[in-house]
Amino acid sequence: NAGVMQNPRHLVRRRGQEARLRCSPMKGHSHVYWYRQLPEEGLKFMVYLQKENIIDESGMPKERFSAEFPKEGPSILRIQQVVRGDSAAYFCASSPSIVTYEQYFGPGTRLTVT
Amino acid sequence: AQRVTQPEKLLSVFKGAPVELKCNYSYSGSPELFWYVQYSRQRLQLLLRHISRESIKGFTADLNKGETSFHLKKPFAQEEDSAMYYCALSGGSGGSNYKLTFGKGTLLTVNP
């Protein structure tokens, strides 16, 4: 099992562009979580998805951010019209169930907005 | 609101010395606490959780509800313990205990 995969590992976008971050959960995992780590901060919960459903998006900024986990394919975190404050590391985790300690993390995508 | 505080950004010890990484939390309910570790160029991985009361790689952590602390300890540090350590808390309103709240992390360096 290759573990949680995220791509790209590094992404550079100019202000106003769109950023798409992908996460492929571990095989057999149907629960996906996205976390954001701003510079000098801890990871912060953004959104929890199951296949085709957003379960909890309470940590997502109200505008420009969206997430999906389609029936087929990876989970996508989409940031429209990026601003410098979006520069951060974005981590995806997956789990086979809702039990917290079973969250397995991906390597993260480091987004830099210039 | 739940919060996790790791007061030390950096911690440097010599090999063989005891090490303690501090973690304090605030949470209104019954928390579940974890320590995660990220070695250089590797992904974040779970080190231990308070419910299991186990020792992993010689590390232990005891939940002290009176002091709202969950410090990570190891009696004799090894060079391979050098890594970033994050304390995390699981909890949320309405049973949303899948949400992990992380501290800012402590970078441990074990010198030879």
Side-chain angles (χ1 to χ4, degrees):
Chain A
N1 198 327
V4 178
M5 306 296 288
Q6 288 188 251
N7 69 80
R9 294 291 308 277
H10 300 275
L11 182 61
V12 179
R13 285 286 177 266
R14 292 203 178 104
R15 278 179 297 171
Q17 291 184 319
E18 178 180 286
R20 281 187 174 231
L21 288 64
R22 294 175 185 77
C23 168
S24 296
M26 287 179 69
K27 189 176 180 181
H29 288 193
S30 58
H31 302 254
V32 167
Y33 315 84
W34 285 93
Y35 292 83
R36 178 168 68 171
Q37 185 178 30
L38 295 169
E40 308 291 317
E41 297 289 324
L43 283 75
K44 287 191 166 49
F45 169 83
M46 298 181 76
V47 61
Y48 161 40
L49 310 103
Q50 293 180 23
K51 283 283 186 182
E52 300 185 278
N53 286 303
I54 297 174
I55 307 302
D56 182 349
E57 56 181 349
S58 58
M60 290 272 273
K62 295 286 183 272
E63 297 178 350
R64 303 187 296 106
F65 284 71
S66 62
E68 62 176 6
F69 188 17
K71 188 176 179 181
E72 301 290 337
S75 174
I76 307 283
L77 179 68
R78 183 180 175 205
I79 311 173
Q80 295 179 291
Q81 299 175 337
V82 295
V83 300
R84 288 230 172 98
D86 297 332
S87 294
Y90 292 83
F91 291 92
C92 168
S94 73
S95 70
S97 70
I98 203 170
V99 178
T100 312
Y101 73 87
E102 288 189 293
Q103 287 187 29
Y104 296 85
F105 282 81
T109 293
R110 188 161 297 279
L111 172 66
T112 302
V113 180
T114 61
Chain B
Q2 57 204 54
R3 180 178 294 175
V4 175
T5 303
Q6 292 180 250
E8 301 142 330
K9 192 174 177 179
L10 302 168
L11 183 61
S12 182
V13 300
F14 285 102
K15 178 183 172 182
V19 63
E20 180 180 66
L21 290 87
K22 292 185 169 53
C23 172
N24 289 91
Y25 67 90
S26 63
Y27 183 63
S28 56
S30 291
E32 191 169 351
L33 275 296
F34 307 85
W35 277 98
Y36 280 81
V37 61
Q38 188 171 27
Y39 300 103
S40 180
R41 301 178 191 275
Q42 294 188 28
R43 59 190 66 194
L44 199 64
Q45 55 187 284
L46 178 65
L47 180 62
L48 54 80
R49 58 190 186 114
H50 88 272
I51 284 180
S52 59
R53 301 185 66 82
E54 56 194 346
S55 173
I56 303 292
K57 299 185 180 183
F59 285 97
T60 59
D62 290 318
L63 180 61
N64 186 324
K65 291 187 177 180
E67 294 182 359
T68 59
S69 67
F70 188 55
H71 304 327
L72 183 68
K73 300 177 184 179
K74 185 169 183 176
F76 307 104
Q78 303 299 314
E79 287 179 69
E80 55 265 30
D81 296 328
S82 295
M84 180 69 88
Y85 291 81
Y86 294 96
C87 182
L89 177 154
S90 163
S93 58
S96 55
N97 57 0
Y98 46 79
K99 289 183 187 179
L100 289 171
T101 298
F102 286 83
K104 294 184 179 182
T106 297
L107 180 61
L108 173 65
T109 301
V110 181
N111 301 297

